[in-house]
Structure formats: C-alpha cells, structure tokens
C-alpha cells in the first residue's frame, strides 16, 4: 500500500564540517573544530576550502564583494588553500569590522595569486586567527605546542625567504610587495604576542614609505586619497600613531604634507573616508605631542617649563574643536550600520583625545578627573553602543580588528574615572568582548586595570591615583611587569603572572 505521506526535503547545509555532514547532523560551525564533534568525542575533519560564511555575515562583507576569484585558490597544499579561504571569508571581515578598507580586496587578495611571499604571510596570519577563534581569544602568546602556531611560523619563514630571494629585483612592484608583507608581519607578530617585533616591522614600513616619498618619480603622495597604495600608507600611519601609546618612538609619517589640521574655512566632509582622513591628521600630531610630553620627567611636564609644548597643546586643542565643528557641519550620507559605527568611533576617539590633551601638562599633580565624569559616562555609553551594533550585522562580534576601536577609550575611562560603578561597567564590557584591536589586547588591558584598581584600593590615601602605569610583557611571556607611581613616590614595579587559560 502506498502511504499518503510525502518525504520532507530540506536544503542541505554546505558550510558545516565534513564530519557533521557525513553524520547528517547540524553543525555549529565553530572555526577549527566544531563543538558538536569535540563534545561527542568525534574527530572533526574540518571544513571545505570553499566554505561559505555562515549565518547572515555574508551580506556585510563589502571588501570581499569587490573581488571575485577567477582562478583556483592559491596555495601548494590543502592547508595553505584552506588558510587562504579562511583569511578571505573570516579574517578580512574581522579586520575591517570598524571601517572598510580597499587594500584587502583590491591589493592583498589579488596579490596572493602572483606573489608567494604575500600568500605565505596571509596563510600564516589566517592560521593564527583561526587558533584565536578556537581558543576563545586568550592572551596573545606564542604557543609552539600548537599545530596552528607552528604552521603559521613555517609560513612566516617561507614569506621572509621569498622576499629575500627578490630583494635585488628591479621589479617596480617590489616595494608594494614588501610593504604589504610588512603590514601582514605586524599583524602576525601582534597575534602571537610579540609586540617588539611587531613595532619593528611598523618602523621598517614607515622608513620604506618615507624613502619612496622622496622619489618624485613614484611618490605615493601624488596619488588620489582613495587609491589602494595610499590606503596601505594610511594603514601604516595609523599603526604608527597607536605605537606611541606603547612607548615606541617611530619615525613620524606625514601623509599629507602642508596639512596641519587647520580647517577653518575648509570644505565640508563629503564622505566618511574624508572625515576619517581629517581625524588621522590630528591623531598623528596629537599622539606625537603626547609622546614628547611623556618622555619628560613628571615634574617637568608643565607648560611654564616648556612654553613650546604649551603652545602645541593649545594649538592641538583648537584644531580638535575646529575639526568637530566641521564634522557637525558636514552632511555625510551614511551607508548602513557600519558607517554609523565609523562616525560613532570618530566621536568617541575625539572625546578621548581631548581629555588626554587637556590633562597632559599637569606635572606631578594628578588632574582633577571629577570634572570629566560626564565625559566618561558618554564614553562608556558610546562603547556599549558600538559593541552592541555588531549584533545587528551578524551572529558574532569580530575578534581580530586592525583599527583602534573601543579598547583605548575604555582604558582611559576605567583608569581615570572617579566613579567605581562606571569603572566596573567598563571592565565588564572589556571582559564580555575579548578581542584585539591592532596592538590592543582586551584581556591584557583588563589585567592592567584590575591591578591599578587593586593598588588604589590598598593605598593608605584614598585619593592617591596610579600615574604613568605601563605594562611590559617579559620575553618568555609568562609574566609581565607593571611600572607605575603614586603621587610623590618614585617608580614602583610589580611583577604579574599571566594566565593564558
């Protein structure tokens, strides 16, 4: 007898791991090894190299949509091809989570097909990013017991060897290849917790760009601001500005000769990219000013002792105010949630930078941060809004972002705000979203902040505040040393054991 029931057909997922597809069960698609397999004791056989982006992330990857691979995926082995696919589908959307950047789609991905050095570096970074995802974003650390880390180092070495073979080439594209690898090496080193090596690559990249800018026949400064090559230089300049907060003295890269940040009478910003470019000019000037101030003994950080620094401070504060007037005046048509997040970030960084500038020349006296309570409240609210905005884009927030985002503003607010409830709110937000923003590691920042709060709680004088705090990770990466001072005391060192679990 023929049954009246019909077999229900469902669309089969093409994005699950090979093991779950064989077992015909729904895969949770955790990068590396899915939890369905690991929790049940099965060996996860991984994902196909052409695995699509899961969930609704695929609709918001404009960088990838600009580039269509019309060849086979580059790579000599299955692991290398899979690494490239992971980089394309996961790493790039992560790194461009705050702002779109054309260099990934228009330069780096196509270059992987013709330049082995670039492809090796891409695959190495991809392997470290996948390890990051699988392990739940632990502290940055090199782990040679991990297959992913060993594979990444192997690819890193092959990239360096490929560059070395070509170092005497007269290929006009060689400089572009070296700069691209330099950027990828920075991210590789940061992801494995090697900050000194990462900033060394930043300095090398800046020197290459400076040397090229002196060659009038191929100066990148003659290009339009939206060209891919200038985008590469801008990215290195942003890393340069961030490196100042880590005590690095890199050669300052002036992307826009003649532009001092003075904007009175300037045209309105037409796009988010224009607005970001204008802020980059100010950020570069301000961070190098702050570096000059912080290099002085604390008792010398007074405008009366250094009138030139006082003038620079005043000039930068005026420029920042004028920039915000120009930004408010501009009628930028934002395209979607991501560009709104970008504008929110600019406002957030402007407020953070304004506080840093205003409190920079106070000598040994701790500034009165009570007057900034409302500003810290706004900073925290902005950080919460930006973090929550990612839920509207996809099922997860990014773990490896290239640009500076909410971590530095949260560090300032949690460190200097006098309201303990607000400090705890900022800490909870950092702990709820473990991720990296360029050189900023949210887990490492949480360690710093908890130590600072503990030191202040234990201080005999409840009004004592920790000043000039700086954390240095030791070479073996098992401990870090926090150096700081409290009011009139000299430098104090505290050794901290790092927990990588």
């Amino acid at each position: 007898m023929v049954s009246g029931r019909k077999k229900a057909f469902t669309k089969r997922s093409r994005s699950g791991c090979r093991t779950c597809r064989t077992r015909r069960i729904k895969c949770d698609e955790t990068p590396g090894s899915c939890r369905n397999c690991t929790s049940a004791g099965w060996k996860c056989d991984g994902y196909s190299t052409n695995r699509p982006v899961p969930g609704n992330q695929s609709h918001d990857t404009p960088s990838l949509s600009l580039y269509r691979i019309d060849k086979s995926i580059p790579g000599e082995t299955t692991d290398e091809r899979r690494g490239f696919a992971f980089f394309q589908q996961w790493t790039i959307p992560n790194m461009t989570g705050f702002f779109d950047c054309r260099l990934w789609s228009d330069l780096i991905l196509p270059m992987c097909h013709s330049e082995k050095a670039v492809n090796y570096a891409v695959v190495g970074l991809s392997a470290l990013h996948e390890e990051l995802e699988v392990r739940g974003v632990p502290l940055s650390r090199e782990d040679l017991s991990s297959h992913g880390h060993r594979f990444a180092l192997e690819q890193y070495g092959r990239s360096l060897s490929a560059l070395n073979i070509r170092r005497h080439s007269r290929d006009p594209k060689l400089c572009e290849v070296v700069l691209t690898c330099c950027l990828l090496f920075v991210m590789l080193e940061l992801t494995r917790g090697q900050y000194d090596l990462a900033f060394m690559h930043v300095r090398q990249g800046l020197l290459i760009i400076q040397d090229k800018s002196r060659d009038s026949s191929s100066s990148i400064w003659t290009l339009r601001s939206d060209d891919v090559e200038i985008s590469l230089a801008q990215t290195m300049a942003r890393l340069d500005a961030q490196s100042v907060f880590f005590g690095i003295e890199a050669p300052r890269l002036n992307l826009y000769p003649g532009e001092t940040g003075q904007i009175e009478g300037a045209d309105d910003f037409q796009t988010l990219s224009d607005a970001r470019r204008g802020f980059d000019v100010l950020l570069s000037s301000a961070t190098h000013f702050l570096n000059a101030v912080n290099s002085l003994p604390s008792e010398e950080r007074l405008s009366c002792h250094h009138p030139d620094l006082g003038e620079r401070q005043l000039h930068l504060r005026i420029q920042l105010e004028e920039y915000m007037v120009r930004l408010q005046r501009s009628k930028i048509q934002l395209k979607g949630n991501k560009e709104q997040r970008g504008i929110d970030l600019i406002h957030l960084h402007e407020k953070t930078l304004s506080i840093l500038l205003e409190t920079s020349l106070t000598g040994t006296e701790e500034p009165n941060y009570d007057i900034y309570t409302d500003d810290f409240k706004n900073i925290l609210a902005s950080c919460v809004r930006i973090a929550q905005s990612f839920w509207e884009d996809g099922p997860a927030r990014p773990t490896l972002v290239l640009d500076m985002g909410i971590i530095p503003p949260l560090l300032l607010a949690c460190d200097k705000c006098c309201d303990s409830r607000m400090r705890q709110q900022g800490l909870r937000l950092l702990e709820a979203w473990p991720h990296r923003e360029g050189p900023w590691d949210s887990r490492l920042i949480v360690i710093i902040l908890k130590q600072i709060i503990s030191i202040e709680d234990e201080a005999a004088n409840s009004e004592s505040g920790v000043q000039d705090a700086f954390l240095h990770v030791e070479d073996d990466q098992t401990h870090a040393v926090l150096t700081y001072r409290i009011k009139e005391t000299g430098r104090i060192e505290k050794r901290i054991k790092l927990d990588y679990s």
Side-chain angles (χ1 to χ4, degrees):
M1 183 174 67
V2 179
S3 171
R5 292 180 299 173
K6 293 184 179 181
K7 183 179 180 180
F9 288 91
T10 59
K11 186 176 180 180
R12 187 178 179 185
S13 170
R14 295 180 295 108
S15 58
C17 75
R18 296 183 182 94
T19 305
C20 284
R21 291 168 66 186
T22 301
R23 296 172 63 201
R24 297 180 182 274
I25 64 173
K26 181 174 177 58
C27 180
D28 62 28
E29 302 182 29
T30 302
S33 300
C34 84
R35 292 192 180 94
N36 278 354
C37 294
T38 54
S39 62
W42 288 80
K43 179 181 180 296
C44 182
D45 290 329
Y47 304 92
S48 302
T49 56
N50 61 346
R51 178 190 182 200
V53 178
N56 62 351
Q57 286 187 349
S58 58
H59 76 276
D60 189 31
T61 52
S63 296
L64 293 176
S65 67
L66 296 174
Y67 175 62
R68 296 287 183 266
I69 295 179
D70 54 5
K71 306 176 183 178
S72 61
I73 292 177
E76 299 168 7
T77 66
T78 301
D79 283 343
E80 289 178 4
R81 289 190 290 272
R82 183 180 177 280
F84 177 86
F86 187 92
F87 182 85
Q88 182 186 28
Q89 298 169 9
W90 285 85
T91 305
I92 291 179
N94 262 252
M95 288 198 292
T96 57
F98 289 135
F99 295 96
D100 285 331
C101 185
R102 291 182 54 214
L103 73 90
W104 301 101
S105 59
D106 291 9
L107 175 68
I108 294 178
L109 284 178
M111 196 181 285
C112 287
H113 290 280
S114 58
E115 299 292 344
K116 289 186 177 181
V118 175
N119 191 55
Y120 291 144
V122 157
V123 173
L125 177 56
S126 170
L128 291 179
H129 181 208
E130 186 169 2
E131 284 282 309
L132 195 74
E133 296 274 4
V134 170
R135 297 189 179 196
V137 198
L139 278 172
S140 302
R141 185 189 189 185
E142 182 176 84
D143 182 8
L144 296 182
S145 67
S146 161
H147 168 74
H149 277 239
R150 294 196 305 273
F151 177 67
L153 284 177
E154 175 195 340
Q155 296 293 306
Y156 190 179
R158 296 180 75 181
S159 178
L160 289 168
S161 297
L163 284 179
N164 188 50
I165 292 171
R166 292 194 54 189
R167 72 184 188 278
H168 298 305
S169 170
R170 295 182 179 273
D171 185 351
K173 291 290 185 180
L174 179 59
C175 181
E176 189 177 87
V177 173
V178 173
L179 269 177
T180 300
C181 287
C182 191
L183 174 60
L184 293 167
F185 293 163
V186 171
M187 295 305 296
L188 268 161
E189 297 291 8
L190 290 174
T191 308
R192 66 194 194 103
Q194 298 291 344
Y195 296 97
D196 290 342
L197 292 174
F199 291 128
M200 179 196 72
H201 286 304
V202 172
R203 290 194 298 270
Q204 292 297 323
L206 295 174
L207 290 172
I208 292 171
I209 294 171
Q210 283 185 335
D211 288 343
K212 187 170 183 180
S213 68
R214 298 189 187 102
D215 181 4
S216 58
S217 64
S218 60
S219 173
I220 61 174
W221 317 128
T222 63
L223 300 175
R224 299 187 311 276
S225 62
D226 60 346
D227 273 284
V228 172
E229 199 170 0
I230 199 72
S231 180
L232 182 58
Q234 288 172 335
T235 301
M236 294 300 295
R238 291 175 189 127
L239 287 169
D240 168 38
Q242 293 184 59
S243 70
V244 171
F245 294 104
F246 292 79
I248 303 300
E249 293 186 16
R252 182 177 175 185
L253 180 58
N254 185 9
L255 274 178
Y256 313 106
E259 269 191 63
T260 62
Q262 191 70 31
I263 46 83
E264 185 171 346
D267 294 335
D268 293 351
F269 297 121
Q270 299 301 312
T271 65
L272 175 61
S273 295
D274 291 340
R276 191 185 185 199
R277 175 191 173 193
F279 189 76
D280 283 343
V281 178
L282 291 173
L283 181 63
S284 178
S285 298
T287 52
H288 284 84
F289 163 78
L290 292 171
N291 186 54
V293 172
N294 292 334
S295 65
L296 297 171
S298 56
E299 62 272 12
E300 290 291 319
R301 298 174 193 173
L302 293 167
S303 56
C304 59
H305 291 167
H306 298 276
D308 57 328
L309 290 178
E311 291 179 6
R312 285 178 62 188
Q313 180 196 40
L314 177 61
H315 186 55
L316 285 167
R317 291 176 63 183
I318 292 172
Q319 287 180 324
L320 204 55
E321 291 175 3
E322 291 176 343
Y323 170 85
M324 291 308 296
V325 170
R326 182 183 177 189
L327 183 62
Q328 298 289 351
R329 191 177 66 210
S330 301
K331 305 296 182 183
I332 300 175
Q333 297 296 318
L334 299 177
K335 301 173 183 176
N337 183 53
K338 190 172 185 178
E339 289 206 347
Q340 180 61 57
R341 184 161 59 235
I343 283 290
D344 290 342
L345 269 176
I346 291 175
H347 282 276
L348 175 63
H349 292 164
E350 180 276 330
K351 180 56 66 180
T352 304
L353 193 57
S354 178
I355 295 174
L356 289 173
L357 286 173
E358 290 174 18
T359 57
S360 58
L361 292 175
T362 57
T364 58
E365 290 299 318
E366 180 78 351
N368 179 17
Y369 286 106
D370 280 332
I371 64 176
Y372 297 105
T373 299
D374 287 343
D375 292 322
F376 289 135
K377 184 177 181 180
N378 290 333
I379 285 174
L380 287 171
S382 295
C383 290
V384 169
R385 185 168 60 252
I386 289 167
Q388 290 178 342
S389 71
F390 282 103
W391 295 120
E392 302 173 22
D393 293 344
R397 289 175 288 201
T399 55
L400 184 65
V401 186
L402 179 60
D403 297 306
M404 183 170 65
I406 69 171
I407 296 178
L410 284 174
L411 171 59
L412 177 67
C414 293
D415 181 18
K416 302 302 182 183
C417 182
C418 301
D419 187 319
S420 60
R421 291 174 300 178
M422 291 168 60
R423 296 178 100 176
Q424 291 301 321
Q425 180 188 0
L427 272 174
R428 286 194 298 272
L429 179 55
L430 282 168
E431 291 177 316
W433 181 14
H435 69 291
R436 317 274 172 75
E437 297 171 1
W440 305 89
D441 184 332
S442 65
R443 290 196 184 275
L444 202 56
I445 297 301
V446 167
I447 291 174
I448 295 174
L449 290 171
K450 286 185 175 180
Q451 289 293 326
I452 290 174
I453 293 172
S454 174
I455 292 167
E456 292 179 347
D457 287 345
E458 294 172 1
N461 182 352
S462 61
E463 296 182 356
S464 296
V466 172
Q467 299 181 37
D468 297 336
F470 187 84
L471 190 76
H472 174 73
V473 179
E474 295 182 346
D475 290 341
D476 64 2
Q477 297 182 306
T478 60
H479 290 78
V481 177
L482 178 68
T483 59
Y484 63 96
R485 65 182 179 87
I486 298 179
K487 286 199 171 180
E488 302 301 328
T489 65
R491 301 294 291 175
I492 302 172
E493 289 191 357
K494 182 176 182 179
R495 197 162 182 258
I496 306 162
K497 183 175 176 57
L498 297 177
D499 181 8
Y500 290 95
S501 59

